[in-house]
Amino acid sequence: MSRVSPSPEGPLIRQTFIKPLQDPRRRRGAQRRAAGGGSSGPRRTPGARSARPDAAAMAQENAAFSPGPEEPPRRRGRQRYVEKDGRCNVQQGNVRETYRYLTDLFTTLVDLQWRLSLLFFVLAYALTWLFFGAIWWLIAYGRGDLEHLEDTAWTPCVNNLNGFVAAFLFSIETETTIGYGHRVITDQCPEGIVLLLLQAILGSMVNAFMVGCMFVKISQPNKRAATLVFSSHAVVSLRDGRLCLMFRVGDLRSSHIVEASIRAKLIRSRQTLEGEFIPLHQTDLSVGFDTGDDRLFLVSPLVISHEIDAASPFWEASRRALERDDFEIVVILEGMVEATGMTCQARSSYLVDEVLWGHRFTSVLTLEDGFYEVDYASFHETFEVPTPSCSARELAEAAARLDAHLYWSIPSRLDEKVEEEGAGEGAGGEAGADKEQNGCLPPPESESKV
């Protein structure tokens, strides 16, 4: 076995880092001894020197060469798929087929922001007025009406049209059917009559389109969803002996949501057996679709429950496993607004940190004199309850083992009583018959003898 010889760089490194740390103190001590003289004052022995200042000084000087304390790694927060206020945190990028938005221009205008919708509304009217005003001015210019303004014998296409501004005002009067009576089209201008009919028809279409867009945009039930509230946290606790994932919903308005229904989605990335990675995979969480519990009568706040059974994705998730997991639960509440009859949808989401294990929601409904009162001040409050930390599967297996133990223990106790009675009577045949009556099969030997 070969021995590794020490590197000659080691002593050099120690001398480089240690000698500069010790030489300044020795020089300062030598300067003090030289200034004080050899016999003046008591000479301090090395044993009398305090070790604490030397240790502090060495620690300060070595701090410049020693690396700082390492910071613990920060856990990056999970990016939400759906924000708490219901906004979907997804942006469409690199959309090259932008012409598809123009094929559904009405929906595109309704989906625009308010400032852009108002800008498009003003431009739609202003541009049509300018366009037809320019055509009225060209007709007057082509006919020579502008050159015979003072000629009373000349019959113009439009009376009192003496320039582009007058043509623009006449265009506004025609499209908006104001009709002040000062500028009037004459019957000696067939091209003006055709233009008048065309502008009246196109003006009606522009009015219908833009007023329809504004009406739909104003009557959208997006703001109605602002009064549909979800609890800030979801909880996991026992209900009827089974683990359930629960959250609470409520409606702040007196006008109710008609035909309200609730859905829940689990957003979690997964990898298939073939190695395919599926980001943000969506899985349904049953909240009572089979039993009809997902259809709500949302007059007062309700607690929505997802039972963690064998079909649930949380079947094998314990408390510790749930805290280490990375997922997002998206809840969707849909219904019709009672006042307008339009469909409304409210959304929210819960991350892993927003799921409280072993908690239950505080009651918000109280009975007053002749009515029920909802206290929304405690709508988001929860309190701890005894809840096992194991998974729902382990809890079900433990309950099954307990049921099996109870099932087999009852016949065995009955058999013991029958054996005692048979031994007292001295009749083996009667004891065997009693055993068969109590659910016990005869032994194999007796069967073979028979």
Side-chain angles (χ1 to χ4, degrees):
M1 182 175 179
S2 59
R3 298 179 59 186
V4 180
S5 59
S7 175
E9 298 178 357
L12 294 178
I13 294 176
R14 285 195 295 271
Q15 292 177 4
T16 304
F17 287 92
I18 296 176
K19 189 173 181 181
L21 298 178
Q22 295 177 353
D23 286 347
R25 292 199 302 273
R26 293 180 179 178
R27 286 197 298 269
R28 287 196 298 267
Q31 290 174 1
R32 287 196 299 269
R33 288 194 298 271
S39 59
S40 62
R43 183 178 181 180
R44 298 178 60 184
T45 60
R49 183 177 299 176
S50 175
R52 183 174 299 176
D54 294 343
M58 292 178 65
Q60 293 178 359
E61 294 176 356
N62 291 331
F65 297 94
S66 61
E70 297 182 357
E71 297 182 357
R74 296 181 180 179
R75 182 180 179 182
R76 183 180 178 183
R78 190 185 192 280
Q79 183 66 47
R80 285 187 180 273
Y81 189 63
V82 176
E83 299 291 342
K84 295 293 286 186
D85 57 357
R87 292 184 298 105
C88 296
N89 197 13
V90 178
Q91 297 182 359
Q92 311 297 336
N94 297 328
V95 180
R96 299 181 180 180
E97 299 177 351
T98 55
Y99 67 89
R100 296 181 180 271
Y101 294 104
L102 300 178
T103 58
D104 190 9
L105 184 60
F106 187 84
T107 305
T108 302
L109 295 178
V110 172
D111 291 341
L112 289 177
Q113 298 179 356
W114 266 108
R115 57 177 179 268
L116 297 178
S117 297
L118 294 176
L119 177 62
F120 189 85
F121 184 84
V122 172
L123 289 177
Y125 283 102
L127 292 178
T128 54
W129 295 338
L130 286 172
F131 174 74
F132 284 103
I135 296 179
W136 285 113
W137 180 83
L138 289 176
I139 291 176
Y141 180 80
R143 285 173 50 86
D145 296 342
L146 301 179
E147 299 175 359
H148 300 81
L149 297 177
E150 303 297 334
D151 189 359
T152 57
W154 180 265
T155 303
C157 182
V158 179
N159 291 328
N160 300 316
L161 197 152
N162 54 9
F164 180 77
V165 177
F168 177 70
L169 294 177
F170 179 72
S171 175
I172 296 176
E173 294 174 12
T174 302
E175 188 168 339
T176 58
T177 64
I178 295 176
Y180 289 115
H182 184 65
R183 300 176 183 87
V184 182
I185 188 173
T186 62
D187 56 356
Q188 302 296 324
C189 182
E191 61 269 25
I193 296 175
V194 174
L195 182 61
L196 178 65
L197 296 175
L198 184 62
Q199 185 174 3
I201 295 173
L202 292 180
S204 300
M205 295 175 62
V206 171
N207 287 332
F209 188 81
M210 298 310 301
V211 171
C213 286
M214 289 294 105
F215 176 76
V216 172
K217 192 171 184 64
I218 291 173
S219 60
Q220 275 186 325
N222 294 339
K223 298 302 180 182
R224 180 63 177 90
T227 54
L228 298 174
V229 293
F230 297 87
S231 58
S232 59
H233 292 82
V235 299
V236 176
S237 61
L238 289 175
R239 261 195 176 185
D240 298 329
R242 298 180 180 180
L243 284 176
C244 295
L245 173 70
M246 294 171 285
F247 58 92
R248 184 151 57 185
V249 296
D251 189 2
L252 301 180
R253 288 187 178 272
S254 299
S255 58
H256 309 303
I257 297 294
V258 182
E259 296 183 2
S261 61
I262 191 74
R263 290 183 294 147
K265 292 280 187 178
L266 175 65
I267 309 298
R268 179 168 56 184
S269 301
R270 75 180 189 91
Q271 190 171 7
T272 62
L273 298 177
E274 294 78 13
E276 179 187 3
F277 179 74
I278 304 177
L280 303 178
H281 179 69
Q282 300 183 11
T283 306
D284 284 332
L285 294 179
S286 177
V287 288
F289 177 78
D290 299 333
T291 59
D293 292 338
D294 61 329
R295 294 185 290 273
L296 310 178
F297 181 53
L298 196 58
V299 177
S300 61
L302 299 176
V303 176
I304 310 302
S305 175
H306 163 68
E307 182 179 337
I308 304 178
D309 52 9
S312 172
F314 301 115
W315 174 242
E316 298 182 355
S318 61
R319 179 174 184 174
R320 184 171 299 178
L322 193 70
E323 293 174 352
R324 294 195 305 262
D325 204 347
D326 188 14
F327 61 84
E328 181 176 356
I329 300 174
V330 178
V331 292
I332 305 169
L333 176 62
E334 293 179 331
M336 289 191 305
V337 182
E338 188 179 25
T340 62
M342 303 185 69
T343 303
C344 172
Q345 185 181 92
R347 298 179 293 266
S348 186
S349 66
Y350 301 98
L351 297 180
V352 180
D353 300 337
E354 297 169 346
V355 178
L356 305 178
W357 188 287
H359 281 246
R360 189 179 296 167
F361 287 107
T362 304
S363 179
V364 296
L365 194 64
T366 57
L367 178 60
E368 301 295 336
D369 187 10
F371 61 93
Y372 292 95
E373 184 179 0
V374 179
D375 182 17
Y376 277 98
S378 56
F379 180 81
H380 304 282
E381 294 181 0
T382 62
F383 61 94
E384 294 186 7
V385 292
T387 305
S389 300
C390 62
S391 63
R393 179 179 180 178
E394 296 173 350
L395 184 63
E397 291 176 353
R401 287 194 300 268
L402 180 60
D403 293 342
H405 176 71
L406 294 176
Y407 176 77
W408 290 107
S409 62
I410 293 175
S412 61
R413 293 176 181 176
L414 293 176
D415 294 343
E416 292 178 358
K417 293 181 180 180
V418 171
E419 290 178 356
E420 292 177 356
E421 293 177 358
E425 296 176 358
E430 295 179 0
D434 293 338
K435 289 184 181 181
E436 291 181 359
Q437 292 177 0
N438 285 285
C440 295
L441 297 176
E445 298 178 356
S446 61
E447 293 180 359
S448 60
K449 291 180 181 179
V450 174

mmCIF file of all heavy atoms in Angstrom, residues 399-441:
data_model
loop_
_atom_site.group_PDB
_atom_site.id
_atom_site.type_symbol
_atom_site.label_atom_id
_atom_site.label_comp_id
_atom_site.label_asym_id
_atom_site.label_seq_id
_atom_site.Cartn_x
_atom_site.Cartn_y
_atom_site.Cartn_z
ATOM 1 N N ALA A 399 -60.395 -0.580 11.207
ATOM 2 C CA ALA A 399 -61.807 -0.798 11.522
ATOM 3 C C ALA A 399 -62.268 -2.176 11.082
ATOM 4 O O ALA A 399 -63.053 -2.834 11.773
ATOM 5 C CB ALA A 399 -62.657 0.294 10.860
ATOM 6 N N ALA A 400 -61.750 -2.652 9.930
ATOM 7 C CA ALA A 400 -62.119 -3.991 9.457
ATOM 8 C C ALA A 400 -61.578 -5.068 10.394
ATOM 9 O O ALA A 400 -62.265 -6.060 10.684
ATOM 10 C CB ALA A 400 -61.607 -4.193 8.037
ATOM 11 N N ARG A 401 -60.346 -4.890 10.867
ATOM 12 C CA ARG A 401 -59.783 -5.867 11.807
ATOM 13 C C ARG A 401 -60.568 -5.886 13.106
ATOM 14 O O ARG A 401 -60.804 -6.946 13.688
ATOM 15 C CB ARG A 401 -58.315 -5.538 12.075
ATOM 16 C CG ARG A 401 -57.387 -5.862 10.906
ATOM 17 C CD ARG A 401 -55.944 -5.836 11.352
ATOM 18 N NE ARG A 401 -55.552 -4.533 11.864
ATOM 19 C CZ ARG A 401 -55.004 -3.577 11.126
ATOM 20 N NH1 ARG A 401 -54.799 -3.788 9.820
ATOM 21 N NH2 ARG A 401 -54.660 -2.422 11.646
ATOM 22 N N LEU A 402 -60.993 -4.729 13.558
ATOM 23 C CA LEU A 402 -61.781 -4.667 14.782
ATOM 24 C C LEU A 402 -63.133 -5.346 14.596
ATOM 25 O O LEU A 402 -63.594 -6.095 15.471
ATOM 26 C CB LEU A 402 -61.970 -3.203 15.208
ATOM 27 C CG LEU A 402 -62.773 -2.965 16.490
ATOM 28 C CD1 LEU A 402 -62.091 -3.642 17.673
ATOM 29 C CD2 LEU A 402 -62.938 -1.467 16.746
ATOM 30 N N ASP A 403 -63.770 -5.136 13.459
ATOM 31 C CA ASP A 403 -65.057 -5.795 13.198
ATOM 32 C C ASP A 403 -64.886 -7.309 13.111
ATOM 33 O O ASP A 403 -65.730 -8.073 13.608
ATOM 34 C CB ASP A 403 -65.665 -5.254 11.908
ATOM 35 C CG ASP A 403 -66.060 -3.793 12.028
ATOM 36 O OD1 ASP A 403 -66.182 -3.325 13.177
ATOM 37 O OD2 ASP A 403 -66.211 -3.112 10.992
ATOM 38 N N ALA A 404 -63.805 -7.761 12.475
ATOM 39 C CA ALA A 404 -63.564 -9.202 12.367
ATOM 40 C C ALA A 404 -63.305 -9.818 13.736
ATOM 41 O O ALA A 404 -63.766 -10.923 14.042
ATOM 42 C CB ALA A 404 -62.387 -9.463 11.439
ATOM 43 N N HIS A 405 -62.584 -9.107 14.564
ATOM 44 C CA HIS A 405 -62.324 -9.625 15.912
ATOM 45 C C HIS A 405 -63.621 -9.763 16.704
ATOM 46 O O HIS A 405 -63.854 -10.767 17.391
ATOM 47 C CB HIS A 405 -61.351 -8.700 16.627
ATOM 48 C CG HIS A 405 -61.094 -9.086 18.058
ATOM 49 N ND1 HIS A 405 -60.365 -10.206 18.408
ATOM 50 C CD2 HIS A 405 -61.490 -8.496 19.224
ATOM 51 C CE1 HIS A 405 -60.309 -10.299 19.718
ATOM 52 N NE2 HIS A 405 -60.984 -9.267 20.241
ATOM 53 N N LEU A 406 -64.473 -8.756 16.598
ATOM 54 C CA LEU A 406 -65.750 -8.839 17.303
ATOM 55 C C LEU A 406 -66.623 -9.939 16.729
ATOM 56 O O LEU A 406 -67.351 -10.632 17.447
ATOM 57 C CB LEU A 406 -66.471 -7.486 17.216
ATOM 58 C CG LEU A 406 -65.808 -6.314 17.942
ATOM 59 C CD1 LEU A 406 -66.578 -5.022 17.693
ATOM 60 C CD2 LEU A 406 -65.727 -6.597 19.446
ATOM 61 N N TYR A 407 -66.582 -10.157 15.409
ATOM 62 C CA TYR A 407 -67.421 -11.169 14.773
ATOM 63 C C TYR A 407 -67.038 -12.576 15.218
ATOM 64 O O TYR A 407 -67.892 -13.423 15.489
ATOM 65 C CB TYR A 407 -67.315 -11.041 13.261
ATOM 66 C CG TYR A 407 -68.075 -12.103 12.505
ATOM 67 C CD1 TYR A 407 -69.456 -12.031 12.366
ATOM 68 C CD2 TYR A 407 -67.402 -13.183 11.955
ATOM 69 C CE1 TYR A 407 -70.148 -13.009 11.689
ATOM 70 C CE2 TYR A 407 -68.083 -14.175 11.274
ATOM 71 C CZ TYR A 407 -69.461 -14.077 11.136
ATOM 72 O OH TYR A 407 -70.139 -15.048 10.466
ATOM 73 N N TRP A 408 -65.728 -12.845 15.303
ATOM 74 C CA TRP A 408 -65.280 -14.193 15.689
ATOM 75 C C TRP A 408 -65.274 -14.410 17.190
ATOM 76 O O TRP A 408 -65.294 -15.543 17.661
ATOM 77 C CB TRP A 408 -63.878 -14.450 15.145
ATOM 78 C CG TRP A 408 -63.865 -14.600 13.654
ATOM 79 C CD1 TRP A 408 -63.400 -13.721 12.738
ATOM 80 C CD2 TRP A 408 -64.367 -15.714 12.916
ATOM 81 N NE1 TRP A 408 -63.584 -14.193 11.470
ATOM 82 C CE2 TRP A 408 -64.164 -15.422 11.548
ATOM 83 C CE3 TRP A 408 -64.975 -16.920 13.287
ATOM 84 C CZ2 TRP A 408 -64.542 -16.292 10.549
ATOM 85 C CZ3 TRP A 408 -65.348 -17.784 12.292
ATOM 86 C CH2 TRP A 408 -65.134 -17.479 10.936
ATOM 87 N N SER A 409 -65.231 -13.335 17.950
ATOM 88 C CA SER A 409 -65.195 -13.502 19.410
ATOM 89 C C SER A 409 -66.566 -13.874 19.967
ATOM 90 O O SER A 409 -66.674 -14.600 20.947
ATOM 91 C CB SER A 409 -64.705 -12.221 20.074
ATOM 92 O OG SER A 409 -65.593 -11.147 19.801
ATOM 93 N N ILE A 410 -67.644 -13.439 19.365
ATOM 94 C CA ILE A 410 -68.989 -13.754 19.869
ATOM 95 C C ILE A 410 -69.294 -15.241 19.728
ATOM 96 O O ILE A 410 -69.724 -15.893 20.693
ATOM 97 C CB ILE A 410 -70.036 -12.872 19.149
ATOM 98 C CG1 ILE A 410 -69.833 -11.408 19.544
ATOM 99 C CG2 ILE A 410 -71.450 -13.330 19.480
ATOM 100 C CD1 ILE A 410 -70.727 -10.448 18.804
ATOM 101 N N PRO A 411 -69.091 -15.918 18.563
ATOM 102 C CA PRO A 411 -69.337 -17.379 18.516
ATOM 103 C C PRO A 411 -68.434 -18.194 19.424
ATOM 104 O O PRO A 411 -68.840 -19.206 19.977
ATOM 105 C CB PRO A 411 -69.095 -17.713 17.038
ATOM 106 C CG PRO A 411 -69.284 -16.409 16.313
ATOM 107 C CD PRO A 411 -68.804 -15.372 17.247
ATOM 108 N N SER A 412 -67.190 -17.755 19.606
ATOM 109 C CA SER A 412 -66.283 -18.517 20.472
ATOM 110 C C SER A 412 -66.765 -18.491 21.925
ATOM 111 O O SER A 412 -66.690 -19.494 22.639
ATOM 112 C CB SER A 412 -64.872 -17.955 20.365
ATOM 113 O OG SER A 412 -64.862 -16.592 20.805
ATOM 114 N N ARG A 413 -67.296 -17.382 22.352
ATOM 115 C CA ARG A 413 -67.821 -17.309 23.714
ATOM 116 C C ARG A 413 -69.057 -18.183 23.862
ATOM 117 O O ARG A 413 -69.274 -18.828 24.884
ATOM 118 C CB ARG A 413 -68.141 -15.864 24.072
ATOM 119 C CG ARG A 413 -66.899 -14.980 24.166
ATOM 120 C CD ARG A 413 -67.258 -13.538 24.437
ATOM 121 N NE ARG A 413 -66.082 -12.690 24.493
ATOM 122 C CZ ARG A 413 -66.134 -11.364 24.643
ATOM 123 N NH1 ARG A 413 -67.316 -10.755 24.754
ATOM 124 N NH2 ARG A 413 -65.017 -10.667 24.689
ATOM 125 N N LEU A 414 -69.885 -18.210 22.826
ATOM 126 C CA LEU A 414 -71.055 -19.080 22.868
ATOM 127 C C LEU A 414 -70.639 -20.545 22.903
ATOM 128 O O LEU A 414 -71.255 -21.375 23.590
ATOM 129 C CB LEU A 414 -71.942 -18.814 21.657
ATOM 130 C CG LEU A 414 -72.628 -17.435 21.613
ATOM 131 C CD1 LEU A 414 -73.395 -17.281 20.307
ATOM 132 C CD2 LEU A 414 -73.559 -17.260 22.798
ATOM 133 N N ASP A 415 -69.583 -20.897 22.164
ATOM 134 C CA ASP A 415 -69.097 -22.283 22.171
ATOM 135 C C ASP A 415 -68.597 -22.698 23.544
ATOM 136 O O ASP A 415 -68.794 -23.826 23.976
ATOM 137 C CB ASP A 415 -67.986 -22.449 21.142
ATOM 138 C CG ASP A 415 -68.509 -22.269 19.720
ATOM 139 O OD1 ASP A 415 -69.747 -22.346 19.540
ATOM 140 O OD2 ASP A 415 -67.689 -22.019 18.819
ATOM 141 N N GLU A 416 -67.926 -21.770 24.219
ATOM 142 C CA GLU A 416 -67.432 -22.105 25.559
ATOM 143 C C GLU A 416 -68.589 -22.406 26.502
ATOM 144 O O GLU A 416 -68.532 -23.351 27.298
ATOM 145 C CB GLU A 416 -66.595 -20.935 26.083
ATOM 146 C CG GLU A 416 -65.280 -20.750 25.317
ATOM 147 C CD GLU A 416 -64.520 -19.554 25.845
ATOM 148 O OE1 GLU A 416 -65.056 -18.883 26.755
ATOM 149 O OE2 GLU A 416 -63.411 -19.283 25.350
ATOM 150 N N LYS A 417 -69.650 -21.617 26.381
ATOM 151 C CA LYS A 417 -70.808 -21.880 27.249
ATOM 152 C C LYS A 417 -71.452 -23.217 26.911
ATOM 153 O O LYS A 417 -71.863 -23.982 27.794
ATOM 154 C CB LYS A 417 -71.828 -20.758 27.086
ATOM 155 C CG LYS A 417 -71.345 -19.420 27.613
ATOM 156 C CD LYS A 417 -72.423 -18.358 27.446
ATOM 157 C CE LYS A 417 -71.944 -17.011 27.972
ATOM 158 N NZ LYS A 417 -72.991 -15.968 27.799
ATOM 159 N N VAL A 418 -71.522 -23.542 25.624
ATOM 160 C CA VAL A 418 -72.136 -24.814 25.224
ATOM 161 C C VAL A 418 -71.304 -25.987 25.706
ATOM 162 O O VAL A 418 -71.814 -27.015 26.163
ATOM 163 C CB VAL A 418 -72.321 -24.845 23.695
ATOM 164 C CG1 VAL A 418 -72.747 -26.232 23.233
ATOM 165 C CG2 VAL A 418 -73.360 -23.810 23.293
ATOM 166 N N GLU A 419 -69.966 -25.881 25.633
ATOM 167 C CA GLU A 419 -69.101 -26.964 26.094
ATOM 168 C C GLU A 419 -69.242 -27.181 27.590
ATOM 169 O O GLU A 419 -69.238 -28.312 28.083
ATOM 170 C CB GLU A 419 -67.653 -26.657 25.728
ATOM 171 C CG GLU A 419 -67.384 -26.748 24.220
ATOM 172 C CD GLU A 419 -65.956 -26.394 23.909
ATOM 173 O OE1 GLU A 419 -65.228 -26.005 24.854
ATOM 174 O OE2 GLU A 419 -65.562 -26.484 22.729
ATOM 175 N N GLU A 420 -69.372 -26.065 28.317
ATOM 176 C CA GLU A 420 -69.538 -26.206 29.756
ATOM 177 C C GLU A 420 -70.864 -26.904 30.076
ATOM 178 O O GLU A 420 -70.937 -27.777 30.937
ATOM 179 C CB GLU A 420 -69.485 -24.837 30.423
ATOM 180 C CG GLU A 420 -68.106 -24.186 30.351
ATOM 181 C CD GLU A 420 -68.119 -22.797 30.958
ATOM 182 O OE1 GLU A 420 -69.223 -22.336 31.359
ATOM 183 O OE2 GLU A 420 -67.049 -22.160 31.019
ATOM 184 N N GLU A 421 -71.911 -26.524 29.339
ATOM 185 C CA GLU A 421 -73.194 -27.176 29.581
ATOM 186 C C GLU A 421 -73.144 -28.656 29.180
ATOM 187 O O GLU A 421 -73.685 -29.527 29.863
ATOM 188 C CB GLU A 421 -74.292 -26.462 28.784
ATOM 189 C CG GLU A 421 -74.568 -25.050 29.275
ATOM 190 C CD GLU A 421 -75.592 -24.348 28.418
ATOM 191 O OE1 GLU A 421 -76.041 -24.978 27.422
ATOM 192 O OE2 GLU A 421 -75.944 -23.184 28.727
ATOM 193 N N GLY A 422 -72.459 -28.969 28.069
ATOM 194 C CA GLY A 422 -72.360 -30.367 27.633
ATOM 195 C C GLY A 422 -71.550 -31.211 28.583
ATOM 196 O O GLY A 422 -71.856 -32.380 28.824
ATOM 197 N N ALA A 423 -70.514 -30.633 29.148
ATOM 198 C CA ALA A 423 -69.704 -31.383 30.113
ATOM 199 C C ALA A 423 -70.492 -31.655 31.382
ATOM 200 O O ALA A 423 -70.337 -32.697 32.024
ATOM 201 C CB ALA A 423 -68.424 -30.609 30.427
ATOM 202 N N GLY A 424 -71.357 -30.722 31.745
ATOM 203 C CA GLY A 424 -72.143 -30.937 32.958
ATOM 204 C C GLY A 424 -73.201 -32.008 32.759
ATOM 205 O O GLY A 424 -73.501 -32.781 33.655
ATOM 206 N N GLU A 425 -73.777 -32.097 31.589
ATOM 207 C CA GLU A 425 -74.826 -33.070 31.333
ATOM 208 C C GLU A 425 -74.251 -34.437 30.976
ATOM 209 O O GLU A 425 -74.916 -35.447 31.120
ATOM 210 C CB GLU A 425 -75.732 -32.584 30.209
ATOM 211 C CG GLU A 425 -76.498 -31.305 30.572
ATOM 212 C CD GLU A 425 -77.317 -30.796 29.407
ATOM 213 O OE1 GLU A 425 -77.236 -31.426 28.329
ATOM 214 O OE2 GLU A 425 -78.025 -29.780 29.572
ATOM 215 N N GLY A 426 -73.030 -34.476 30.472
ATOM 216 C CA GLY A 426 -72.398 -35.744 30.107
ATOM 217 C C GLY A 426 -72.882 -36.295 28.794
ATOM 218 O O GLY A 426 -72.736 -37.489 28.552
ATOM 219 N N ALA A 427 -73.509 -35.497 27.964
ATOM 220 C CA ALA A 427 -74.016 -35.955 26.668
ATOM 221 C C ALA A 427 -73.208 -35.300 25.572
ATOM 222 O O ALA A 427 -73.370 -34.117 25.309
ATOM 223 C CB ALA A 427 -75.494 -35.621 26.519
ATOM 224 N N GLY A 428 -72.312 -36.065 24.944
ATOM 225 C CA GLY A 428 -71.459 -35.507 23.886
ATOM 226 C C GLY A 428 -72.228 -35.193 22.626
ATOM 227 O O GLY A 428 -71.952 -34.221 21.932
ATOM 228 N N GLY A 429 -73.256 -36.069 22.292
ATOM 229 C CA GLY A 429 -73.995 -35.831 21.059
ATOM 230 C C GLY A 429 -74.795 -34.547 21.110
ATOM 231 O O GLY A 429 -74.884 -33.798 20.146
ATOM 232 N N GLU A 430 -75.411 -34.345 22.269
ATOM 233 C CA GLU A 430 -76.186 -33.118 22.421
ATOM 234 C C GLU A 430 -75.303 -31.888 22.365
ATOM 235 O O GLU A 430 -75.670 -30.865 21.807
ATOM 236 C CB GLU A 430 -76.943 -33.172 23.736
ATOM 237 C CG GLU A 430 -77.993 -34.281 23.767
ATOM 238 C CD GLU A 430 -78.694 -34.299 25.101
ATOM 239 O OE1 GLU A 430 -78.329 -33.450 25.942
ATOM 240 O OE2 GLU A 430 -79.595 -35.137 25.299
ATOM 241 N N ALA A 431 -74.096 -31.982 22.918
ATOM 242 C CA ALA A 431 -73.175 -30.838 22.862
ATOM 243 C C ALA A 431 -72.770 -30.548 21.434
ATOM 244 O O ALA A 431 -72.651 -29.402 21.009
ATOM 245 C CB ALA A 431 -71.948 -31.115 23.735
ATOM 246 N N GLY A 432 -72.551 -31.657 20.628
ATOM 247 C CA GLY A 432 -72.186 -31.429 19.230
ATOM 248 C C GLY A 432 -73.311 -30.773 18.465
ATOM 249 O O GLY A 432 -73.099 -29.924 17.596
ATOM 250 N N ALA A 433 -74.548 -31.176 18.760
ATOM 251 C CA ALA A 433 -75.679 -30.531 18.071
ATOM 252 C C ALA A 433 -75.788 -29.064 18.445
ATOM 253 O O ALA A 433 -76.084 -28.216 17.610
ATOM 254 C CB ALA A 433 -76.963 -31.279 18.439
ATOM 255 N N ASP A 434 -75.522 -28.792 19.739
ATOM 256 C CA ASP A 434 -75.564 -27.386 20.146
ATOM 257 C C ASP A 434 -74.508 -26.575 19.433
ATOM 258 O O ASP A 434 -74.696 -25.417 19.103
ATOM 259 C CB ASP A 434 -75.388 -27.280 21.667
ATOM 260 C CG ASP A 434 -76.586 -27.870 22.392
ATOM 261 O OD1 ASP A 434 -77.663 -27.942 21.765
ATOM 262 O OD2 ASP A 434 -76.431 -28.243 23.568
ATOM 263 N N LYS A 435 -73.346 -27.203 19.195
ATOM 264 C CA LYS A 435 -72.288 -26.470 18.485
ATOM 265 C C LYS A 435 -72.702 -26.141 17.066
ATOM 266 O O LYS A 435 -72.441 -25.071 16.538
ATOM 267 C CB LYS A 435 -70.995 -27.288 18.488
ATOM 268 C CG LYS A 435 -70.315 -27.372 19.824
ATOM 269 C CD LYS A 435 -69.005 -28.126 19.708
ATOM 270 C CE LYS A 435 -68.313 -28.241 21.048
ATOM 271 N NZ LYS A 435 -67.035 -28.952 20.953
ATOM 272 N N GLU A 436 -73.361 -27.103 16.418
ATOM 273 C CA GLU A 436 -73.796 -26.844 15.059
ATOM 274 C C GLU A 436 -74.854 -25.741 15.038
ATOM 275 O O GLU A 436 -74.887 -24.911 14.130
ATOM 276 C CB GLU A 436 -74.362 -28.123 14.443
ATOM 277 C CG GLU A 436 -73.298 -29.176 14.192
ATOM 278 C CD GLU A 436 -73.913 -30.401 13.567
ATOM 279 O OE1 GLU A 436 -75.155 -30.412 13.365
ATOM 280 O OE2 GLU A 436 -73.165 -31.334 13.276
ATOM 281 N N GLN A 437 -75.702 -25.714 16.051
ATOM 282 C CA GLN A 437 -76.699 -24.663 16.094
ATOM 283 C C GLN A 437 -76.087 -23.298 16.341
ATOM 284 O O GLN A 437 -76.623 -22.288 15.932
ATOM 285 C CB GLN A 437 -77.728 -24.966 17.182
ATOM 286 C CG GLN A 437 -78.593 -26.183 16.858
ATOM 287 C CD GLN A 437 -79.538 -26.484 17.978
ATOM 288 O OE1 GLN A 437 -79.544 -25.791 18.998
ATOM 289 N NE2 GLN A 437 -80.344 -27.532 17.796
ATOM 290 N N ASN A 438 -74.954 -23.230 17.012
ATOM 291 C CA ASN A 438 -74.306 -21.962 17.301
ATOM 292 C C ASN A 438 -73.338 -21.537 16.203
ATOM 293 O O ASN A 438 -72.533 -20.657 16.407
ATOM 294 C CB ASN A 438 -73.533 -22.036 18.624
ATOM 295 C CG ASN A 438 -74.491 -21.991 19.808
ATOM 296 O OD1 ASN A 438 -75.017 -20.937 20.134
ATOM 297 N ND2 ASN A 438 -74.732 -23.148 20.419
ATOM 298 N N GLY A 439 -73.351 -22.139 15.070
ATOM 299 C CA GLY A 439 -72.542 -21.688 13.946
ATOM 300 C C GLY A 439 -71.206 -22.335 13.849
ATOM 301 O O GLY A 439 -70.365 -21.885 13.081
ATOM 302 N N CYS A 440 -70.916 -23.433 14.590
ATOM 303 C CA CYS A 440 -69.624 -24.096 14.532
ATOM 304 C C CYS A 440 -69.779 -25.402 13.774
ATOM 305 O O CYS A 440 -70.720 -26.165 14.030
ATOM 306 C CB CYS A 440 -69.075 -24.363 15.938
ATOM 307 S SG CYS A 440 -68.708 -22.843 16.841
ATOM 308 N N LEU A 441 -68.883 -25.687 12.886
ATOM 309 C CA LEU A 441 -68.912 -26.905 12.105
ATOM 310 C C LEU A 441 -68.339 -28.059 12.918
ATOM 311 O O LEU A 441 -67.456 -27.861 13.765
ATOM 312 C CB LEU A 441 -68.106 -26.724 10.814
ATOM 313 C CG LEU A 441 -68.662 -25.654 9.851
ATOM 314 C CD1 LEU A 441 -67.716 -25.515 8.665
ATOM 315 C CD2 LEU A 441 -70.057 -25.998 9.393
#
